[in-house]
Amino acid sequence: MSTSLTQKLTATAASPASAGRGRGAGRRTDPGTIALGSRRARPAYVALAPYFLLFAIFSAIPIGFTMFLAFTDWRGIGDWNLVGLTNFGYLLEDPLFWKALSNTLILWVMTTIPCLTLATLVALGLNSAVRFSTVYRVAYLVPNITSLVAMGILFSSIFSSNFGIVNALLNSVGLESVRWLQSEWGIKVAISTLSAWSFVGYNAMIILAGLQSVEKQVYEAAQLDGAGPVRTFFSITVPMLRPIIMFITIMSTIGSLQSFTEAQVMTSSQGGGASSAGGVGNSGLTLVLYFYSVAFQENRYGYGATIAWGVMVVVILFTIINWVATRERSR
Amino acid sequence: MTTTSAPESSRLTSPAAGVTARRRRRPPVRRSVGRLLRHLLLAAGALLSFFPFYWMFVLSTHRSAAIYEFPPPLLPGDRFRENFESVMSTINVWAAMANTLLVAVTVTFFVLLIDSLAAFAFAKFSFPGKRILFLVVMLTFLLPSQLATIPQFLMMTELGWVGELKAVIVPSLAGAFGVFWLRQFFQNSVRTELIEAATIDGCGFFRQYLHVALPSARPALAFLGIFTFIGSWNDFMWPLIVLNDPSRLTLQVALSQLQTTHGTDYGMLMMSALIAVVPLIIVFIIGAKQFIDGITEGALK
């Protein structure tokens, strides 16, 4: 092309240098990028098109439609009516929704705290033990990559009342069997054990990366100042890990608030429908499992859409809480 | 800014150096006891982490009645073949596995293609509307996927796709995570000067993408590929909603149906779970290094 040289010259002049210049230039061009005017930007738009086309069809439009559905009483077949805020009023007074919300929050605490504590310990161990580190990493990560359906089935047997290995262990030390899968707290222990087990390795790898990014000079300086290992951990390692802790707390929270598979698989043998979802006394009913039962087992699409909005509010609320909590302390 | 290899190597050497400097002060006996203790704890944790897989294997080699025995069997039994044959005669495992493989491979290929194109445009070029478009990508991270599920299902019903694999494949052909992830990588490791030089040589956008961006992004693409493949292989809720034809199920849905219909036949159930898990473990062990590096880099940038 004949214009390529001038293009090149304008591009270099505009790209890295313009970052610090006037506001007008900075707003248009990010540092380290090549500025494309509206005429030459066509290939960039073509490159973005497939992503945004799929996004529009399978995310944006459906999300808009979910908002609309939440104001209707549609059940999949037959007529539907606009019912105003009825669904939202019903949601606020729906004992099952609150049950699901409280279960989800309890499971979140029961999963995240042991999971992140164990992950920190594993990461600290791996940070100093150099030998076999790849073997350890693989062993700790394998639970994270395996199917939760298969593992849910396995954990159902591990926690089974009649023959589970957990009860066998309890019996062998003289304790009574617990009906894990059929009791209010038992099912929560079973579900959160599965979730925590599958995510310890993943979180440990992230914390490990954070640990290894702390400059060794910082540790050497602390040693010269006479700081012991405990002091070093709390005064240097923990503050340096703050961004990592924030990252994994938020990611674990978003994941945990939307957990579905563990609860679905471990309580599915106990009948269908929303009222019996989540096992005995709805003890294992999570928000997303409730959403699934209402929308796809009872075909109450209007109310299901309302629950989906409820899930979104909870997720965003807790993300903000987490973000503020982990950020405030760093100051 | 620089290539990724430099910080990676310094990350690997720094803790080791720090450790030896710290250890030099301690008496040698205490040091080796501490090291032994640490290895013991780590090994115990790794065993605990791996035990469920072993237990799954043990159960899959016993008669279903064996797990009602007390104490439960801790060693493999002799019913491996019987349980395997019983799975084969109950569900079409090979078809389910082929379906899952087809879904996972197709989804992975298109996610890599579509996300890398978008990520390249976002990482290396400025154009009108870029900020808003990228904000849209980031927002989809926060929004729970359930917000789109019901209308997606209605859409599939309208299209007549319910029960078919394309209902699982098509909605997941692009992902916000991949765009975000690859954009980071392109920004940090593809030098803008290289692309400018390619422009001078008369290379357009797509040839720059093909010949400059993609070759240098191989590690990032490998991680995203493994990540997407595993996610797609294990995907459960959406396939459970749209797949209802017994001859066209993914492994996860087939497993969950087997659990509801044959919930008491534990030997067979564990065998089928084992079959669903083993291929993925193989994929993981092949790509373990890339995957582990990928996880840790995502957190750091």
Side-chain angles (χ1 to χ4, degrees):
Chain A
M1 277 189 185
S2 56
T3 52
S4 62
L5 185 63
T6 48
Q7 277 177 11
K8 194 252 169 185
L9 290 175
T10 48
T12 36
S15 57
S18 68
R21 249 189 247 161
R23 267 194 159 184
R27 193 178 294 168
R28 277 213 169 159
T29 315
D30 297 325
T33 61
I34 296 166
L36 302 173
S38 42
R39 275 187 61 208
R40 284 190 306 126
R42 190 187 284 172
Y45 294 133
V46 172
L48 292 175
Y51 177 84
F52 281 96
L53 200 68
L54 285 166
F55 169 79
I57 297 172
F58 294 109
S59 295
I61 296 171
I63 289 173
F65 197 65
T66 296
M67 170 154 256
F68 167 74
L69 273 180
F71 295 97
T72 71
D73 63 356
W74 199 46
R75 280 169 179 265
I77 29 170
D79 293 336
W80 50 267
N81 308 298
L82 281 172
V83 292
L85 290 170
T86 314
N87 283 336
F88 292 91
Y90 183 75
L91 184 82
L92 293 178
E93 285 171 10
D94 179 1
L96 274 179
F97 175 75
W98 291 106
K99 178 73 184 165
L101 179 60
S102 84
N103 284 342
T104 306
L105 295 181
I106 292 170
L107 282 172
W108 169 56
V109 173
M110 285 175 67
T111 305
T112 319
I113 293 178
C115 181
L116 296 189
T117 312
L118 287 172
T120 312
L121 291 176
V122 170
L124 285 172
L126 284 178
N127 192 32
S128 29
V130 184
R131 205 178 293 177
F132 306 128
S133 84
T134 312
V135 178
Y136 284 135
R137 286 173 195 218
V138 171
Y140 282 112
L141 263 177
V142 164
N144 187 241
I145 57 122
T146 45
S147 132
L148 276 174
V149 179
M151 288 305 146
I153 292 173
L154 177 71
F155 273 64
S156 305
S157 91
I158 288 179
F159 283 99
S160 164
S161 315
N162 306 322
F163 52 81
I165 195 166
V166 175
N167 274 345
L169 282 175
L170 287 181
N171 291 341
S172 67
V173 294
L175 293 170
E176 297 231 331
S177 294
V178 177
R179 292 176 63 78
W180 294 104
L181 300 179
Q182 286 84 27
S183 64
E184 177 74 36
W185 287 94
I187 186 71
K188 292 193 178 71
V189 170
I191 291 174
S192 55
T193 306
L194 171 57
S195 314
W197 171 76
S198 64
F199 270 96
V200 163
Y202 176 83
N203 287 319
M205 288 313 123
I206 294 173
I207 298 172
L208 182 61
L211 285 173
Q212 304 200 335
S213 70
V214 177
E215 296 281 330
K216 63 169 178 175
Q217 287 95 327
V218 182
Y219 284 120
E220 281 165 5
Q223 250 176 32
L224 287 178
D225 291 344
V230 177
R231 180 77 199 278
T232 312
F233 178 72
F234 283 104
S235 306
I236 296 177
T237 312
V238 171
M240 295 279 232
L241 279 183
R242 207 60 91 177
I244 300 277
I245 292 173
M246 186 169 135
F247 175 81
I248 59 171
T249 314
I250 289 179
M251 294 314 280
S252 314
T253 303
I254 293 178
S256 178
L257 293 178
Q258 295 180 57
S259 83
F260 166 77
T261 308
E262 299 95 322
Q264 203 275 343
V265 173
M266 291 174 92
T267 63
S268 71
S269 52
Q270 295 157 15
S275 56
S276 64
V280 177
N282 309 105
S283 315
L285 183 66
T286 64
L287 277 177
V288 175
L289 182 55
Y290 187 46
F291 162 79
Y292 169 80
S293 315
V294 168
F296 296 104
Q297 291 186 315
E298 301 189 332
N299 296 335
R300 290 156 68 198
Y301 294 122
Y303 188 49
T306 316
I307 298 173
W309 283 103
V311 175
M312 188 203 72
V313 170
V314 172
V315 168
I316 290 187
L317 197 70
F318 275 83
T319 307
I320 293 173
I321 291 175
N322 266 324
W323 191 64
V324 171
T326 36
R327 217 169 70 123
E328 281 294 298
R329 258 180 273 142
S330 68
R331 287 200 182 134
Chain B
M1 294 288 134
T2 51
T3 54
T4 44
S5 58
E8 213 171 283
S9 60
S10 69
R11 221 193 298 146
L12 285 175
T13 51
S14 62
V19 166
T20 45
R22 212 183 307 148
R23 276 182 187 159
R24 218 169 281 145
R25 288 185 169 185
R26 287 195 217 156
V29 179
R30 238 184 96 193
R31 190 213 302 160
S32 54
V33 167
R35 196 191 292 160
L36 189 70
L37 198 71
R38 194 183 298 123
H39 268 293
L40 276 177
L41 286 175
L42 276 175
L47 279 181
L48 209 60
S49 177
F50 213 81
F51 175 76
F53 295 105
Y54 174 73
W55 185 238
M56 184 183 243
F57 171 70
V58 168
L59 291 184
S60 73
T61 59
H62 281 277
R63 285 176 302 120
S64 295
I67 49 181
Y68 291 93
E69 284 164 14
F70 186 86
L74 282 173
L75 291 173
D78 54 359
R79 306 273 299 185
F80 188 89
R81 247 191 69 205
E82 285 84 345
N83 285 331
F84 191 80
E85 278 161 7
S86 140
V87 172
M88 292 302 152
S89 61
T90 314
I91 53 167
N92 196 339
V93 180
W94 300 127
M97 197 177 281
N99 289 340
T100 315
L101 196 66
L102 178 70
V103 169
V105 168
T106 317
V107 166
T108 306
F109 175 78
F110 279 99
V111 163
L112 288 179
L113 178 71
I114 293 174
D115 283 8
S116 63
L117 272 171
F120 181 57
F122 276 132
K124 286 293 151 192
F125 300 91
S126 293
F127 45 86
K130 175 181 166 178
R131 293 277 160 91
I132 292 175
L133 289 175
F134 191 66
L135 193 71
V136 169
V137 175
M138 293 305 293
L139 269 181
T140 42
F141 261 138
L142 256 189
L143 295 178
S145 58
Q146 295 81 36
L147 272 182
T149 308
I150 297 175
Q152 275 183 2
F153 178 70
L154 303 177
M155 210 183 279
M156 295 305 155
T157 316
E158 283 297 309
L159 289 169
W161 286 10
V162 172
E164 297 186 32
L165 291 179
K166 55 189 171 189
V168 178
I169 296 173
V170 178
S172 32
L173 290 184
F177 172 76
V179 175
F180 173 74
W181 170 262
L182 291 174
R183 173 183 160 272
Q184 298 279 81
F185 193 87
F186 285 143
Q187 270 181 343
N188 291 320
S189 60
V190 179
R191 285 164 57 212
T192 310
E193 298 90 83
L194 261 179
I195 295 169
E196 281 160 356
T199 313
I200 300 178
D201 293 344
C203 281
F205 179 95
F206 292 98
R207 283 178 67 194
Q208 290 164 6
Y209 162 79
L210 205 63
H211 297 299
V212 182
L214 279 193
S216 62
R218 233 176 246 157
L221 290 170
F223 169 73
L224 183 64
I226 299 169
F227 182 85
T228 310
F229 186 90
I230 292 173
S232 175
W233 184 281
N234 289 335
D235 194 14
F236 181 52
M237 184 165 157
W238 178 244
L240 182 69
I241 291 169
V242 285
L243 296 182
N244 52 15
D245 176 350
S247 66
R248 266 176 298 189
L249 300 178
T250 60
L251 270 176
Q252 311 308 327
V253 182
L255 259 186
S256 119
Q257 290 198 352
L258 200 62
Q259 191 207 10
T260 26
T261 51
H262 294 73
T264 49
D265 193 349
Y266 264 95
M268 181 184 84
L269 212 51
M270 288 306 146
M271 177 58 75
S272 59
L274 194 69
I275 295 171
V277 157
V278 164
L280 210 52
I281 295 184
I282 293 173
V283 168
F284 175 70
I285 289 177
I286 293 172
K289 195 189 166 330
Q290 226 100 40
F291 192 76
I292 290 168
D293 289 349
I295 291 179
T296 50
E297 282 192 19
L300 285 178
K301 279 173 189 163

